């Protein structure tokens, strides 16, 4: 293999890539070109739910190639996408599915569907939200630093403070509001599980004002919190739900799950994407979905996740610089009283990959196949780094 000569010159400078060059993955570990192994609690930012080199994905890819169909286009019917949609519908609140290629695309489609259904342009998002980097999803993202250089963004999208109930009520009730979008567990915003009572009130408000409730489960969905969908634990279901990160086992795929009433207003031409739901990727996603949805699998995520949370809380009680530990399942944030970046570097040097969420939060997204042993090993490394 030819060595990469300059790691930054030929790639656009939008990423601050750091650390080693990774050449292999196995289970919960990434292996660098010098042979050093890293326990990976980033998992491709929540994408690699089954870790690396998992037999389900390996076999799914091999089988998906047998038909000879990688792409056919949405002009024609193919089987895998229809079967995947059917399984998503059977396992959720939804009646129909639209496939796309990323989380931001899923949210953009959700906004279009909600506007068409409600006939109203207003979209409400919340403080701490992250919904993507395209013009509408960025407008719904509460990060002035991401937004400012690219304004004007899409009009009609407003960010409301989560902790201001009166403002939330007024915003949802406004006559121009047609949709509300929220992550049941905020990811980039610092790993903040949204209070179940808040989600219930939001559901009631949306019902009262005929506003579409969109749950963005791009990061927290598909088993990450210990149930297939995070909303199940809140006892509240949305009108529209977006998925992406882990859906196709590392291949790019997004999905928008919708209720029948929303689907009823959509006609050919309302939305489209060339690659969305192609047979190869849908076939892989079908096997990934079945693996993630197994009750024993989800039980393990719930049970190990609880154990991991108490381990992190115990660690926090001993480390003065930890301000709070938040999370659910295999999605945790450790908020520090200082910038997180030096600790992310220190953890990597000690063989553990973690990612930030905002300036002062260490975010842990272990592969959902991580055992209690793997989780404990990561926690021990963190403990020594934070001591
Ligand atoms: C990552 C993420 C997105 C954007 O997904 P992309 O595939 O990067 O476009 C949207 N919403 C949430 C909650 C995310 O975590």
């Amino acid at each position: 293999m030819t060595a990469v000569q300059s790691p930054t010159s030929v790639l656009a400078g939008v990423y601050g890539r750091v650390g080693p060059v990774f050449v292999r993955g196995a289970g919960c570990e990434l292996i660098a070109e010098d042979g050093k192994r890293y326990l990976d609690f980033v998992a491709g930012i929540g994408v690699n739910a089954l870790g690396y080199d998992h037999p389900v994905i390996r076999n799914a890819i091999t089988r998906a190639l047998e038909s000879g169909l990688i792409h056919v286009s949405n002009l024609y019917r193919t089987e895998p996408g229809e079967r995947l949609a059917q399984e998503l519908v059977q396992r959720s609140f939804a009646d129909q599915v639209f496939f796309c290629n990323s989380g931001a695309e899923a949210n953009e489609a959700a906004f279009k569907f909600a506007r068409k259904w409600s006939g109203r342009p207003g979209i409400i998002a919340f403080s701490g939200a992250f919904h993507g980097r395209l013009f509408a999803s960025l407008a719904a993202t509460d990060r002035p630093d991401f937004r400012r250089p690219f304004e004007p963004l899409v009009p009609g999208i407003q960010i409301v403070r989560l902790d201001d109930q009166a403002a939330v009520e007024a915003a949802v009730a406004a006559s121009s509001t047609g949709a509300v979008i929220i992550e049941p567990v905020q990811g980039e915003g610092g790993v903040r599980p949204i209070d179940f009572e808040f989600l219930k009130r939001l559901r009631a408000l949306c019902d009262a004002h005929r506003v579409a409730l969109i749950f963005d489960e791009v990061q927290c969905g598909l088993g990450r919190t210990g149930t297939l969908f995070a909303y199940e634990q809140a006892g509240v279901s949305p009108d529209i739900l977006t998925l992406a990160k882990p859906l196709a086992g590392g291949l790019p795929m997004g999905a928008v799950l919708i209720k029948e009433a929303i689907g009823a207003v959509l006609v050919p031409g309302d939305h489209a994407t060339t690659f969305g739901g192609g047979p190869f990727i849908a076939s892989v996603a079908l096997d990934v979905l079945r693996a993630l949805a197994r009750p024993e699998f989800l039980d393990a995520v719930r049970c190990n996740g609880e154990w991991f949370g108490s381990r992190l809380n115990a660690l926090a009680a001993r480390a003065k610089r930890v301000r709070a530990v938040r999370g659910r399942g295999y999605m945790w944030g450790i908020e520090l009283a200082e910038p997180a970046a030096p600790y992310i570097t220190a953890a990597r040097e000690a063989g553990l990959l973690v990612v930030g969420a905002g300036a002062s939060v260490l975010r842990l997204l272990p592969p959902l196949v991580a055992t209690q042993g793997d989780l404990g090993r990561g926690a021990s490394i963190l403990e020594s780094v934070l001591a």
Side-chain angles (χ1 to χ4, degrees):
M1 264 210 288
T2 30
V4 180
Q5 293 205 330
S6 166
T8 54
S9 62
V10 292
L11 293 171
V14 296
Y15 300 113
R17 291 191 172 85
V18 289
V21 176
F22 291 113
V23 292
R24 270 188 331 112
C28 297
E29 290 186 330
L30 274 173
I31 299 138
E33 59 186 348
D34 65 358
K36 186 169 170 183
R37 305 177 81 94
Y38 294 80
L39 184 59
D40 182 10
F41 282 11
V42 179
I45 319 185
V47 167
N48 302 321
L50 296 175
Y52 298 95
D53 202 22
H54 194 284
V56 162
I57 295 176
R58 202 178 252 269
N59 295 336
I61 288 176
T62 310
R63 213 153 353 97
L65 288 172
E66 275 166 16
S67 65
L69 300 181
I70 290 177
H71 174 79
V72 174
S73 95
N74 284 306
L75 295 170
Y76 309 105
R77 289 181 61 189
T78 50
E79 236 185 280
E82 293 183 14
R83 290 207 341 251
L84 176 61
Q86 201 164 51
E87 292 230 4
L88 286 167
V89 163
Q90 274 163 8
R91 296 173 193 281
S92 74
F93 72 97
D95 301 296
Q96 289 186 327
V97 183
F98 172 81
F99 291 117
C100 54
N101 314 288
S102 71
E105 275 185 37
N107 287 331
E108 302 272 331
F111 294 161
K112 285 182 69 178
F113 298 169
R115 278 187 174 174
K116 181 116 198 264
W117 170 78
S118 70
R120 285 171 261 147
I123 295 166
I124 308 296
F126 294 99
S127 48
F130 181 90
H131 297 297
R133 310 283 198 143
L134 304 181
F135 279 112
S137 47
L138 187 57
T141 289
D142 184 23
R143 284 291 296 266
D145 51 331
F146 292 171
R147 302 160 56 112
R148 205 169 293 119
F150 307 104
E151 287 169 348
L153 305 177
V154 171
I157 303 179
Q158 181 196 349
I159 292 174
V160 176
R161 283 184 62 136
L162 262 174
D163 58 1
D164 185 344
Q165 186 63 27
V168 171
E169 283 177 22
V172 180
S175 60
S176 60
T177 299
V180 171
I181 184 165
I182 189 165
E183 299 154 82
V185 181
Q186 289 186 337
E188 306 290 322
V191 189
R192 290 169 207 279
I194 304 297
D195 190 48
F196 294 153
E197 289 312 309
F198 183 89
L199 294 177
K200 285 186 180 138
R201 280 199 301 276
L202 208 51
R203 176 72 274 179
L205 274 171
C206 286
D207 286 339
H209 299 282
R210 200 176 172 275
V211 166
L213 181 57
I214 305 169
F215 283 171
D216 177 346
E217 295 210 11
V218 167
Q219 188 164 156
C220 66
L222 295 171
R224 176 62 53 192
T225 66
T227 46
L228 187 60
F229 302 104
Y231 74 79
E232 293 170 46
Q233 294 171 52
V236 179
S237 62
D239 302 300
I240 303 179
L241 178 129
T242 55
L243 297 172
K245 288 186 165 97
L247 180 54
L251 300 173
M253 184 178 221
V256 187
L257 278 58
I258 57 179
K259 273 191 179 158
E260 197 268 330
I262 310 262
V265 304
L266 301 176
V267 296
D270 275 343
H271 199 51
T273 174
T274 299
F275 290 113
F280 176 78
I281 207 160
S283 168
V284 175
L286 188 59
D287 284 3
V288 171
L289 175 65
R290 285 174 177 160
L292 296 178
R294 274 178 23 243
E296 320 81 78
F297 186 87
L298 292 169
D299 285 347
V301 172
R302 257 196 319 277
C303 166
N304 292 337
E306 238 166 75
W307 178 85
F308 189 46
S310 51
R311 178 77 179 79
L312 294 177
N313 274 299
L315 169 169
R318 291 191 291 268
K320 273 202 206 72
R321 54 175 56 91
V322 176
R323 210 181 250 165
V325 171
R326 294 182 294 264
R328 227 170 254 162
Y330 278 32
M331 182 171 183
W332 289 88
I334 303 177
E335 183 168 338
L336 305 182
E338 55 192 293
Y343 299 97
I344 294 171
T345 305
R348 187 174 69 244
E349 280 161 4
L352 175 70
L353 303 178
V354 300
V355 61
S360 62
V361 177
L362 296 171
R363 180 172 27 158
L364 315 176
L365 302 166
L368 305 187
V369 293
T371 61
Q372 221 175 79
D374 297 321
L375 298 173
R377 188 152 68 91
S380 298
I381 297 174
L382 275 175
E383 176 140 45
S384 60
V385 164
L386 290 170

